[in-house]
Amino acid sequence: EVQLVESGGGLVQPGRSLRLSCTASGFSFGDYAMSWFRQAPGKGLEWVGFIRSKAYGGTTQYAASVKGRFTISRDDSKSIAYLQMSSLKTEDTAVYYCVRDISIYWGQGTLVTVSS
Amino acid sequence: DIQMTQSPSSLSASVGDRVTITCRASQSISNFLNWYQQKPGKAPKFLIYAASNLQSGVPSRFSGSGSGTDFTLTITSLQPEDFATYYCQQSYSTPVTFGQGTKVEI
């Protein structure tokens, strides 16, 4: 059974940094791209970015709203994907979801609140 | 970026009703269109991929159709557990984008 478990969310002040983790199980992690999505309170779904598998270069792409502030990485030996968030803004407040590829399997989400 | 527009934004329906939700892309996306169901406080649930293919385990009362720019999600005989918000998503190009959602309520 595919499982994705996000962790690392919490309350953080504007301008600070936070790193989220996504621990995967039930599939060959290194064979898949991993994505991050988010959902602000009461709002719709937004793609944050993804990281390709090593077979496709392990390259990353980001949404314009987070480019230059957020970094996605992966540790295939541990089956973990990371979302490093820097220079956080109040508008980054959201539930962050880890997703295998870009669609089928989603984690339960972790809430990030950016507030002073 | 490809804009996805869903209609209606919300609808009221009763158990047993047939419900249709439409999704329009700002440019052709072939059949790179997915549908999700989301209930409050939960992660989205993947329903349909490639516009018309039902994900394993999803009841057959859900169906999808369309290609190019116009797509439809249909729920025949709405059940109590189907009251939720539905989103379309294009996976044709990055940035991956979603419709704004359709809330199906009683």
PDB file of all heavy atoms in Angstrom, chain B residues 36-58:
ATOM      1  N   TYR B  36     -10.780  15.177  -9.057  1.00  0.00           N
ATOM      2  CA  TYR B  36     -10.617  14.837  -7.651  1.00  0.00           C
ATOM      3  C   TYR B  36     -11.888  15.163  -6.886  1.00  0.00           C
ATOM      4  O   TYR B  36     -12.627  16.082  -7.248  1.00  0.00           O
ATOM      5  CB  TYR B  36      -9.492  15.662  -7.009  1.00  0.00           C
ATOM      6  CG  TYR B  36      -8.119  15.385  -7.536  1.00  0.00           C
ATOM      7  CD1 TYR B  36      -7.643  16.039  -8.675  1.00  0.00           C
ATOM      8  CD2 TYR B  36      -7.276  14.481  -6.900  1.00  0.00           C
ATOM      9  CE1 TYR B  36      -6.366  15.788  -9.148  1.00  0.00           C
ATOM     10  CE2 TYR B  36      -6.000  14.236  -7.368  1.00  0.00           C
ATOM     11  CZ  TYR B  36      -5.560  14.902  -8.500  1.00  0.00           C
ATOM     12  OH  TYR B  36      -4.291  14.648  -8.969  1.00  0.00           O
ATOM     13  N   GLN B  37     -12.048  14.429  -5.778  1.00  0.00           N
ATOM     14  CA  GLN B  37     -13.088  14.717  -4.797  1.00  0.00           C
ATOM     15  C   GLN B  37     -12.394  15.079  -3.495  1.00  0.00           C
ATOM     16  O   GLN B  37     -11.453  14.404  -3.083  1.00  0.00           O
ATOM     17  CB  GLN B  37     -13.958  13.477  -4.583  1.00  0.00           C
ATOM     18  CG  GLN B  37     -15.006  13.599  -3.498  1.00  0.00           C
ATOM     19  CD  GLN B  37     -15.562  12.233  -3.123  1.00  0.00           C
ATOM     20  OE1 GLN B  37     -14.871  11.406  -2.522  1.00  0.00           O
ATOM     21  NE2 GLN B  37     -16.814  11.978  -3.471  1.00  0.00           N
ATOM     22  N   GLN B  38     -12.856  16.129  -2.843  1.00  0.00           N
ATOM     23  CA  GLN B  38     -12.278  16.488  -1.546  1.00  0.00           C
ATOM     24  C   GLN B  38     -13.375  16.757  -0.528  1.00  0.00           C
ATOM     25  O   GLN B  38     -14.308  17.524  -0.785  1.00  0.00           O
ATOM     26  CB  GLN B  38     -11.363  17.706  -1.660  1.00  0.00           C
ATOM     27  CG  GLN B  38     -10.594  17.985  -0.374  1.00  0.00           C
ATOM     28  CD  GLN B  38      -9.648  19.155  -0.469  1.00  0.00           C
ATOM     29  OE1 GLN B  38      -9.914  20.131  -1.173  1.00  0.00           O
ATOM     30  NE2 GLN B  38      -8.515  19.074   0.229  1.00  0.00           N
ATOM     31  N   LYS B  39     -13.229  16.136   0.640  1.00  0.00           N
ATOM     32  CA  LYS B  39     -14.121  16.382   1.760  1.00  0.00           C
ATOM     33  C   LYS B  39     -13.397  17.229   2.792  1.00  0.00           C
ATOM     34  O   LYS B  39     -12.155  17.222   2.842  1.00  0.00           O
ATOM     35  CB  LYS B  39     -14.606  15.053   2.342  1.00  0.00           C
ATOM     36  CG  LYS B  39     -15.432  14.263   1.327  1.00  0.00           C
ATOM     37  CD  LYS B  39     -15.947  12.958   1.900  1.00  0.00           C
ATOM     38  CE  LYS B  39     -16.783  12.239   0.838  1.00  0.00           C
ATOM     39  NZ  LYS B  39     -17.312  10.941   1.324  1.00  0.00           N
ATOM     40  N   PRO B  40     -14.134  17.969   3.614  1.00  0.00           N
ATOM     41  CA  PRO B  40     -13.500  18.896   4.571  1.00  0.00           C
ATOM     42  C   PRO B  40     -12.469  18.210   5.449  1.00  0.00           C
ATOM     43  O   PRO B  40     -12.715  17.139   6.017  1.00  0.00           O
ATOM     44  CB  PRO B  40     -14.693  19.394   5.392  1.00  0.00           C
ATOM     45  CG  PRO B  40     -15.850  19.290   4.463  1.00  0.00           C
ATOM     46  CD  PRO B  40     -15.607  18.049   3.650  1.00  0.00           C
ATOM     47  N   GLY B  41     -11.303  18.824   5.534  1.00  0.00           N
ATOM     48  CA  GLY B  41     -10.240  18.318   6.395  1.00  0.00           C
ATOM     49  C   GLY B  41      -9.499  17.114   5.863  1.00  0.00           C
ATOM     50  O   GLY B  41      -8.646  16.558   6.562  1.00  0.00           O
ATOM     51  N   LYS B  42      -9.801  16.718   4.626  1.00  0.00           N
ATOM     52  CA  LYS B  42      -9.171  15.538   4.034  1.00  0.00           C
ATOM     53  C   LYS B  42      -8.376  15.911   2.793  1.00  0.00           C
ATOM     54  O   LYS B  42      -8.621  16.950   2.167  1.00  0.00           O
ATOM     55  CB  LYS B  42     -10.237  14.501   3.652  1.00  0.00           C
ATOM     56  CG  LYS B  42     -11.063  14.004   4.816  1.00  0.00           C
ATOM     57  CD  LYS B  42     -10.235  13.203   5.795  1.00  0.00           C
ATOM     58  CE  LYS B  42     -11.099  12.560   6.867  1.00  0.00           C
ATOM     59  NZ  LYS B  42     -10.276  11.811   7.862  1.00  0.00           N
ATOM     60  N   ALA B  43      -7.443  15.038   2.432  1.00  0.00           N
ATOM     61  CA  ALA B  43      -6.706  15.214   1.183  1.00  0.00           C
ATOM     62  C   ALA B  43      -7.615  14.912  -0.001  1.00  0.00           C
ATOM     63  O   ALA B  43      -8.586  14.152   0.132  1.00  0.00           O
ATOM     64  CB  ALA B  43      -5.501  14.284   1.158  1.00  0.00           C
ATOM     65  N   PRO B  44      -7.330  15.490  -1.135  1.00  0.00           N
ATOM     66  CA  PRO B  44      -8.104  15.149  -2.338  1.00  0.00           C
ATOM     67  C   PRO B  44      -7.995  13.666  -2.658  1.00  0.00           C
ATOM     68  O   PRO B  44      -6.950  13.046  -2.455  1.00  0.00           O
ATOM     69  CB  PRO B  44      -7.442  15.994  -3.427  1.00  0.00           C
ATOM     70  CG  PRO B  44      -6.811  17.125  -2.699  1.00  0.00           C
ATOM     71  CD  PRO B  44      -6.345  16.539  -1.402  1.00  0.00           C
ATOM     72  N   LYS B  45      -9.096  13.147  -3.176  1.00  0.00           N
ATOM     73  CA  LYS B  45      -9.141  11.746  -3.593  1.00  0.00           C
ATOM     74  C   LYS B  45      -9.204  11.705  -5.118  1.00  0.00           C
ATOM     75  O   LYS B  45     -10.033  12.371  -5.729  1.00  0.00           O
ATOM     76  CB  LYS B  45     -10.374  11.047  -3.016  1.00  0.00           C
ATOM     77  CG  LYS B  45     -10.560   9.617  -3.484  1.00  0.00           C
ATOM     78  CD  LYS B  45     -11.868   9.043  -2.958  1.00  0.00           C
ATOM     79  CE  LYS B  45     -12.122   7.636  -3.506  1.00  0.00           C
ATOM     80  NZ  LYS B  45     -13.424   7.093  -3.046  1.00  0.00           N
ATOM     81  N   PHE B  46      -8.310  10.942  -5.701  1.00  0.00           N
ATOM     82  CA  PHE B  46      -8.195  10.833  -7.150  1.00  0.00           C
ATOM     83  C   PHE B  46      -9.343  10.010  -7.697  1.00  0.00           C
ATOM     84  O   PHE B  46      -9.549   8.874  -7.274  1.00  0.00           O
ATOM     85  CB  PHE B  46      -6.851  10.174  -7.458  1.00  0.00           C
ATOM     86  CG  PHE B  46      -6.438  10.186  -8.890  1.00  0.00           C
ATOM     87  CD1 PHE B  46      -6.174  11.370  -9.538  1.00  0.00           C
ATOM     88  CD2 PHE B  46      -6.262   8.998  -9.575  1.00  0.00           C
ATOM     89  CE1 PHE B  46      -5.751  11.380 -10.854  1.00  0.00           C
ATOM     90  CE2 PHE B  46      -5.833   8.992 -10.891  1.00  0.00           C
ATOM     91  CZ  PHE B  46      -5.581  10.182 -11.542  1.00  0.00           C
ATOM     92  N   LEU B  47     -10.116  10.557  -8.630  1.00  0.00           N
ATOM     93  CA  LEU B  47     -11.294   9.864  -9.159  1.00  0.00           C
ATOM     94  C   LEU B  47     -11.096   9.368 -10.588  1.00  0.00           C
ATOM     95  O   LEU B  47     -11.375   8.208 -10.890  1.00  0.00           O
ATOM     96  CB  LEU B  47     -12.506  10.811  -9.157  1.00  0.00           C
ATOM     97  CG  LEU B  47     -13.060  11.318  -7.852  1.00  0.00           C
ATOM     98  CD1 LEU B  47     -14.226  12.263  -8.134  1.00  0.00           C
ATOM     99  CD2 LEU B  47     -13.484  10.169  -6.950  1.00  0.00           C
ATOM    100  N   ILE B  48     -10.689  10.262 -11.463  1.00  0.00           N
ATOM    101  CA  ILE B  48     -10.656   9.985 -12.893  1.00  0.00           C
ATOM    102  C   ILE B  48      -9.365  10.537 -13.469  1.00  0.00           C
ATOM    103  O   ILE B  48      -8.953  11.651 -13.137  1.00  0.00           O
ATOM    104  CB  ILE B  48     -11.882  10.620 -13.584  1.00  0.00           C
ATOM    105  CG1 ILE B  48     -13.148   9.844 -13.201  1.00  0.00           C
ATOM    106  CG2 ILE B  48     -11.709  10.677 -15.108  1.00  0.00           C
ATOM    107  CD1 ILE B  48     -14.433  10.476 -13.670  1.00  0.00           C
ATOM    108  N   TYR B  49      -8.724   9.762 -14.346  1.00  0.00           N
ATOM    109  CA  TYR B  49      -7.525  10.211 -15.029  1.00  0.00           C
ATOM    110  C   TYR B  49      -7.708  10.140 -16.535  1.00  0.00           C
ATOM    111  O   TYR B  49      -8.571   9.414 -17.026  1.00  0.00           O
ATOM    112  CB  TYR B  49      -6.302   9.397 -14.595  1.00  0.00           C
ATOM    113  CG  TYR B  49      -6.374   7.926 -14.936  1.00  0.00           C
ATOM    114  CD1 TYR B  49      -5.771   7.410 -16.081  1.00  0.00           C
ATOM    115  CD2 TYR B  49      -7.024   7.021 -14.086  1.00  0.00           C
ATOM    116  CE1 TYR B  49      -5.830   6.067 -16.381  1.00  0.00           C
ATOM    117  CE2 TYR B  49      -7.091   5.684 -14.380  1.00  0.00           C
ATOM    118  CZ  TYR B  49      -6.491   5.210 -15.539  1.00  0.00           C
ATOM    119  OH  TYR B  49      -6.550   3.867 -15.827  1.00  0.00           O
ATOM    120  N   ALA B  50      -6.894  10.900 -17.229  1.00  0.00           N
ATOM    121  CA  ALA B  50      -6.975  10.962 -18.697  1.00  0.00           C
ATOM    122  C   ALA B  50      -8.403  11.180 -19.162  1.00  0.00           C
ATOM    123  O   ALA B  50      -8.873  10.546 -20.110  1.00  0.00           O
ATOM    124  CB  ALA B  50      -6.375   9.706 -19.320  1.00  0.00           C
ATOM    125  N   ALA B  51      -9.066  12.079 -18.492  1.00  0.00           N
ATOM    126  CA  ALA B  51     -10.404  12.578 -18.830  1.00  0.00           C
ATOM    127  C   ALA B  51     -11.548  11.603 -18.601  1.00  0.00           C
ATOM    128  O   ALA B  51     -12.646  12.034 -18.209  1.00  0.00           O
ATOM    129  CB  ALA B  51     -10.451  13.087 -20.272  1.00  0.00           C
ATOM    130  N   SER B  52     -11.316  10.312 -18.832  1.00  0.00           N
ATOM    131  CA  SER B  52     -12.463   9.400 -18.817  1.00  0.00           C
ATOM    132  C   SER B  52     -12.188   8.056 -18.156  1.00  0.00           C
ATOM    133  O   SER B  52     -13.052   7.180 -18.184  1.00  0.00           O
ATOM    134  CB  SER B  52     -12.957   9.147 -20.251  1.00  0.00           C
ATOM    135  OG  SER B  52     -11.932   8.565 -21.031  1.00  0.00           O
ATOM    136  N   ASN B  53     -11.014   7.888 -17.567  1.00  0.00           N
ATOM    137  CA  ASN B  53     -10.656   6.598 -16.975  1.00  0.00           C
ATOM    138  C   ASN B  53     -10.864   6.616 -15.465  1.00  0.00           C
ATOM    139  O   ASN B  53     -10.261   7.423 -14.753  1.00  0.00           O
ATOM    140  CB  ASN B  53      -9.207   6.258 -17.298  1.00  0.00           C
ATOM    141  CG  ASN B  53      -8.993   6.077 -18.787  1.00  0.00           C
ATOM    142  OD1 ASN B  53      -9.231   5.008 -19.334  1.00  0.00           O
ATOM    143  ND2 ASN B  53      -8.563   7.145 -19.459  1.00  0.00           N
ATOM    144  N   LEU B  54     -11.678   5.684 -15.014  1.00  0.00           N
ATOM    145  CA  LEU B  54     -12.017   5.615 -13.600  1.00  0.00           C
ATOM    146  C   LEU B  54     -10.865   4.983 -12.809  1.00  0.00           C
ATOM    147  O   LEU B  54     -10.368   3.898 -13.170  1.00  0.00           O
ATOM    148  CB  LEU B  54     -13.270   4.768 -13.431  1.00  0.00           C
ATOM    149  CG  LEU B  54     -14.178   5.036 -12.246  1.00  0.00           C
ATOM    150  CD1 LEU B  54     -14.716   6.447 -12.253  1.00  0.00           C
ATOM    151  CD2 LEU B  54     -15.324   4.027 -12.207  1.00  0.00           C
ATOM    152  N   GLN B  55     -10.420   5.673 -11.765  1.00  0.00           N
ATOM    153  CA  GLN B  55      -9.387   5.104 -10.898  1.00  0.00           C
ATOM    154  C   GLN B  55      -9.952   3.866 -10.207  1.00  0.00           C
ATOM    155  O   GLN B  55     -11.147   3.815  -9.864  1.00  0.00           O
ATOM    156  CB  GLN B  55      -8.928   6.145  -9.881  1.00  0.00           C
ATOM    157  CG  GLN B  55      -7.977   5.655  -8.817  1.00  0.00           C
ATOM    158  CD  GLN B  55      -6.622   5.236  -9.362  1.00  0.00           C
ATOM    159  OE1 GLN B  55      -6.334   5.339 -10.552  1.00  0.00           O
ATOM    160  NE2 GLN B  55      -5.771   4.747  -8.479  1.00  0.00           N
ATOM    161  N   SER B  56      -9.089   2.886  -9.983  1.00  0.00           N
ATOM    162  CA  SER B  56      -9.493   1.659  -9.316  1.00  0.00           C
ATOM    163  C   SER B  56     -10.159   1.955  -7.975  1.00  0.00           C
ATOM    164  O   SER B  56      -9.658   2.756  -7.184  1.00  0.00           O
ATOM    165  CB  SER B  56      -8.262   0.773  -9.095  1.00  0.00           C
ATOM    166  OG  SER B  56      -8.605  -0.370  -8.364  1.00  0.00           O
ATOM    167  N   GLY B  57     -11.301   1.310  -7.741  1.00  0.00           N
ATOM    168  CA  GLY B  57     -11.994   1.477  -6.475  1.00  0.00           C
ATOM    169  C   GLY B  57     -13.037   2.580  -6.458  1.00  0.00           C
ATOM    170  O   GLY B  57     -13.802   2.685  -5.500  1.00  0.00           O
ATOM    171  N   VAL B  58     -13.065   3.391  -7.496  1.00  0.00           N
ATOM    172  CA  VAL B  58     -14.040   4.482  -7.561  1.00  0.00           C
ATOM    173  C   VAL B  58     -15.354   3.939  -8.120  1.00  0.00           C
ATOM    174  O   VAL B  58     -15.349   3.229  -9.128  1.00  0.00           O
ATOM    175  CB  VAL B  58     -13.513   5.638  -8.437  1.00  0.00           C
ATOM    176  CG1 VAL B  58     -14.583   6.716  -8.629  1.00  0.00           C
ATOM    177  CG2 VAL B  58     -12.252   6.230  -7.816  1.00  0.00           C
TER     178      VAL B  58
END
